[in-house]
């Protein structure tokens, strides 16, 4: 079985600046997710954070990443544009990308989708979230029931300024009445992208089994698919091109 190489990128600011968040994720959100993924067979996990050289996303790291997970919030603007372009190129070339929670406003998500993806309603009041499975046969929803609930979460509400998803896997309802497209897939180039809404840093969302199951499923779904390579530019014809003469 081929080893799936996963890199988890985390801004890693809240956990070092907020005692409450540090109490929930003492080793960072990236390691909470990574510890779960490492339980799967043939998965190799690397972590990278904002304040590392090149944000931890060196050419070598990206070249050896099959699927990249992205969590950011406080410092989207500090992510270097040249790093964003390198990540974009890798996605177009086949690397999977999973964007989590407030990563919706990240430069890389906006760059790949082409809209103001940071535009939505929000309310940080610790509301109950019910995540409904819209596509029960989708690989990302494997092992789930009709829905699952998160006891306390930040609310995101429509309209979410994203292109129409290729597939809408989940939709969320919140205690205050709003709904939100919370599980969206896209394809860009040869790469697969999944946006998954849950994961506010002040609640233990990445300790919840259903949330982690979705992320694990999404990692497998987003893995590069071997296939034919396309050739761009002028090429010679496959068949002989005849000349028709009309008399």
């Amino acid at each position: 079985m081929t080893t799936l190489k996963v890199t988890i990128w985390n801004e890693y600011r809240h956990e070092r600046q907020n005692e409450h968040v540090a109490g929930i994720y003492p080793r960072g959100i990236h390691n909470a997710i990574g510890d779960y993924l490492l339980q799967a067979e043939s998965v190799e996990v690397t972590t990278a954070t904002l304040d590392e050289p090149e944000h931890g996303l060196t050419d070598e790291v990206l070249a050896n990443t099959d699927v990249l997970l992205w969590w950011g919030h406080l410092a989207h603007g500090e992510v270097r544009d040249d790093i964003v372009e390198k990540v974009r190129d890798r996605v177009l070339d086949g690397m999977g990308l999973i964007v989590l929670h407030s990563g919706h406003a990240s430069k890389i998500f906006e760059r790949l989708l082409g809209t103001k993806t940071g535009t939505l309603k929000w309310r940080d009041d610790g509301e109950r979230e019910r995540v409904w499975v819209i596509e029960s046969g989708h690989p990302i929803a494997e092992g789930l029931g009709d829905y699952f609930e998160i006891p306390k979460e930040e609310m995101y509400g429509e309209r979410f300024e994203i292109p129409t998803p290729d597939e809408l896997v989940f939709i969320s309802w919140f205690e205050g009445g709003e709904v939100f497209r919370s599980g969206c897939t896209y394809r860009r180039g040869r790469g697969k992208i999944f946006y998954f809404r849950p994961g506010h840093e002040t609640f233990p969302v990445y300790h919840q089994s259903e949330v982690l199951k979705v992320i694990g499923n999404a990692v497998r779904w987003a893995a590069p698919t071997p296939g034919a390579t396309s050739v761009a530019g002028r090429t010679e014809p496959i068949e002989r091109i005849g000349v028709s003469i009309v008399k």
Side-chain angles (χ1 to χ4, degrees):
M1 182 180 293
T2 303
T3 298
L4 183 60
K5 298 179 180 179
V6 179
T7 298
I8 305 172
W9 190 89
N10 178 22
E11 197 176 83
Y12 196 36
R13 289 284 178 83
H14 291 280
E15 302 95 315
R16 292 183 293 139
Q17 298 175 4
N18 184 307
E19 290 185 4
H20 175 71
V21 179
I24 299 171
Y25 300 111
R27 296 173 53 240
I29 287 172
H30 49 302
N31 280 309
I33 297 172
D35 289 346
Y36 172 79
L37 295 179
L38 282 171
Q39 296 176 33
E41 185 179 355
S42 301
V43 174
E44 178 181 302
V45 174
T46 298
T47 62
T49 59
L50 177 68
D51 293 324
E52 295 177 47
E54 299 186 64
H55 308 322
L57 299 175
T58 64
D59 290 343
E60 181 180 3
V61 168
L62 287 173
N64 286 285
T65 298
D66 296 317
V67 180
L68 174 67
L69 280 69
W70 192 282
W71 195 102
H73 184 201
L74 285 175
H76 295 310
E78 295 182 37
V79 178
R80 285 170 31 190
D81 290 341
D82 63 311
I83 302 296
V84 172
E85 289 305 304
K86 289 199 298 184
V87 173
R88 174 182 176 270
D89 287 346
R90 282 287 293 121
V91 172
L92 297 179
D93 195 40
M95 181 183 73
L97 176 66
I98 299 172
V99 178
L100 299 170
H101 190 59
S102 48
H104 70 86
S106 63
K107 288 182 178 180
I108 183 57
F109 197 48
E110 185 171 286
R111 181 77 173 89
L112 283 163
L113 267 59
T115 58
K116 295 182 179 180
T117 57
T119 304
L120 48 75
K121 297 183 179 73
W122 65 274
R123 183 173 57 246
D124 185 7
D125 289 352
E127 300 174 40
R128 178 164 51 99
E129 176 180 1
R130 182 176 295 146
V131 183
W132 285 97
V133 177
I134 302 300
E135 295 294 342
S136 59
H138 199 284
I140 293 176
E142 182 180 349
L144 300 174
D146 288 341
Y147 67 89
F148 63 91
E149 292 190 350
I150 300 172
K152 291 186 177 182
E153 250 290 23
E154 179 182 26
M155 184 280 293
Y156 281 0
E158 297 286 350
R159 188 175 192 278
F160 186 16
E161 192 61 36
I162 54 173
T164 300
D166 294 343
E167 300 163 302
L168 180 59
V169 185
F170 305 115
I171 188 169
S172 289
W173 167 89
F174 293 90
E175 194 172 351
E178 289 86 359
V179 296
F180 192 78
R181 290 169 289 171
S182 55
C184 307
T185 74
Y186 297 92
R187 291 178 183 265
R188 292 294 184 269
R190 297 184 65 194
K192 289 175 279 188
I193 302 168
F194 178 59
Y195 172 73
F196 188 42
R197 197 218 70 84
H200 190 59
E201 67 280 355
T202 61
F203 305 112
V205 180
Y206 295 123
H207 294 305
Q208 184 166 336
S209 60
E210 295 94 340
V211 172
L212 293 170
K213 179 182 287 293
V214 170
I215 293 173
N217 289 346
V219 164
R220 291 188 292 274
W221 171 84
T225 303
T229 57
S230 59
V231 178
R234 176 174 172 77
T235 58
E236 294 301 316
I238 297 173
E239 305 288 347
R240 181 177 178 181
I241 301 174
V243 178
S244 298
I245 300 176
V246 179
K247 295 184 179 179

